[in-house]
Amino acid sequence: MKAVLGLEDGTFVAGNGFGVEGICSGELVFTTQMTGYMEALTDPGYAGQLLMFTYPLIGNYGVDRENFESPRVHARGCVVREIACVPAMQPSVAEFFRENSLLGISGIDTRRLTVKTRTVGTLRASLIVGSDDGEEAVRCARASPPAGDADLIGSVSCPAPYRIAGAGKRVAVIDLGVKRSILTGLSRSGADIRVFPHTATPGDIMAAEPDALLITNGPGDPGKAADAIRCAREVVGTMPVIGIGMGTQVAALALGAGTYRMKFGHRGANQPVRYRDGSISITTQNHGFAVDGETLPGGCTVSYRNVNDGTVEGFEDKDLAITCVQFHPDIQFIDRVYRGIP
């Protein structure tokens, strides 16, 4: 199929479409991960975005449903250099896209688009599959709403509370678009998990009598998570609070700190962060906003910083029992934080 990707600055590139014919629009963002493409596509944090992979070949091991981060693809479109036609397992990514009415484009210079994004910042984009009308793609990109105007959290949060039973400490979770692996990590540690929608009130949380509150990752502007900010503000000081991804920004906003939109964000599985003791970890990240470390109140300590640009990747307040990390932690990190809950 014909396909074309248009950007709001007037750039457009033609390629080969896969999936189904149609049009989708959103921010064009890139991820640097070399594996885990289906984990990225099913990450609720990519809601509202066209996801571009910098690794040149995507789909070589097919679709591995076991490692999905949610039941469906949240990225509005997929942009790749080359899509594997003969994967090691079935179905192929192209077949999966076709069966699930998703849109993708291959055969374009993703390196050039990545360099453009790093130079000028994240741009609105539109993908048309079934046509190579670049001017129409640019028009659609310019007509799409600015990313900051979109309220994406409600589309990825759970519609009602639910429980993942465990014999250990009770953890209340505010779901802003949680990745399945985070809940899996908590469950493996033995936690009794009570998951709440993004609209949960402080009363909802307190009624569950939790030992700690976890605020999860999610898409878009953390300022849109007004209910979660209000809830965190009321809960802080009464129990330990853990923030992951957007949850870190929500916790910071609840304390009166500020956040800001990054030029092109951090997305991928190879982001280096430095802990305050000097040790460095390679982390998975997906965020376009960051905490302004200069605005954190007294008592808060920046615990992690990004090695590449110095942005805040985590903070703590020992007196208030707050632990926040901007990156998506592995199971060992989650277990360590869980075991630190009084």
Side-chain angles (χ1 to χ4, degrees):
M1 290 184 289
K2 295 179 180 179
V4 63
L5 178 71
L7 306 181
E8 63 177 295
D9 70 347
T11 301
F12 63 86
V13 289
N16 304 310
F18 61 92
V20 298
E21 294 186 357
I23 302 175
C24 60
S25 300
E27 282 188 312
L28 178 66
V29 300
F30 66 86
T31 176
T32 57
Q33 62 197 85
M34 295 181 285
T35 61
Y37 45 83
M38 291 309 302
E39 287 94 323
L41 288 164
T42 57
D43 179 352
Y46 284 114
Q49 297 173 328
L50 306 185
L51 181 56
M52 177 170 63
F53 291 90
T54 61
Y55 192 70
L57 176 63
I58 296 298
N60 57 309
Y61 56 85
V63 174
D64 179 12
R65 297 176 186 271
E66 185 176 331
N67 291 312
F68 277 24
E69 289 289 2
S70 69
R72 64 182 179 90
V73 168
H74 289 278
R76 289 182 179 168
C78 180
V79 181
V80 301
R81 175 66 183 90
E82 181 181 352
I83 194 80
C85 297
V86 185
M89 59 187 291
Q90 297 295 329
S92 69
V93 171
E95 290 169 337
F96 178 85
F97 266 54
R98 184 170 59 253
E99 292 168 359
N100 290 274
S101 300
L102 302 169
L103 280 68
I105 184 172
S106 65
I108 64 173
D109 189 348
T110 52
R111 180 180 176 85
R112 182 168 72 90
L113 289 177
T114 299
V115 171
K116 172 185 279 291
T117 302
R118 288 181 57 88
T119 302
V120 305
T122 302
L123 296 171
R124 290 174 294 164
S126 185
L127 169 61
I128 304 178
V129 178
S131 168
D132 58 3
D133 188 343
E135 293 183 357
E136 175 63 9
V138 169
R139 188 195 68 77
C140 291
R142 290 171 174 170
S144 64
D149 293 348
D151 188 359
L152 302 168
I153 298 170
S155 68
V156 297
S157 178
C158 60
Y162 65 94
R163 179 186 180 191
I164 303 174
K169 300 163 187 173
R170 185 173 297 176
V171 179
V173 176
I174 297 180
D175 176 12
L176 304 180
V178 66
K179 293 171 66 173
R180 187 177 68 174
S181 57
I182 292 174
L183 296 179
T184 298
L186 267 180
S187 184
R188 288 183 181 178
S189 295
D192 186 14
I193 306 169
R194 311 296 176 96
V195 184
F196 293 88
H198 70 107
T199 54
T201 67
D204 295 332
I205 300 299
M206 299 304 290
E209 300 181 344
D211 297 301
L213 172 66
L214 169 64
I215 309 171
T216 77
N217 59 291
D221 184 347
K224 300 291 186 182
D227 291 319
I229 295 169
R230 188 179 307 112
C231 195
R233 186 177 294 126
E234 294 293 327
V235 168
V236 163
T238 66
M239 67 182 73
V241 173
I242 305 162
I244 294 176
M246 178 179 279
T248 294
Q249 300 156 16
V250 166
L253 291 169
L255 294 171
T259 61
Y260 61 93
R261 182 176 175 81
M262 304 171 73
K263 185 175 181 181
F264 51 83
H266 297 152
R267 299 176 179 90
N270 54 1
Q271 293 286 333
V273 298
R274 179 181 286 111
Y275 189 51
R276 60 189 174 200
D277 66 2
S279 61
I280 294 177
S281 301
I282 303 301
T283 66
T284 298
Q285 299 186 23
N286 175 14
H287 63 103
F289 287 78
V291 172
D292 183 352
E294 299 300 319
T295 65
L296 286 168
C300 288
T301 302
V302 174
S303 50
Y304 291 91
R305 287 193 180 274
N306 190 283
V307 174
N308 292 330
D309 59 16
T311 53
V312 173
E313 294 282 7
F315 70 91
E316 299 174 350
D317 188 317
K318 292 187 177 180
D319 292 335
L320 293 176
I322 298 173
T323 303
C324 294
V325 290
Q326 184 63 66
F327 51 89
H328 295 175
D330 57 23
I331 289 176
Q332 289 77 17
F333 185 97
I334 292 174
D335 183 68
R336 188 163 64 250
V337 172
Y338 169 76
R339 296 189 184 285
I341 298 172

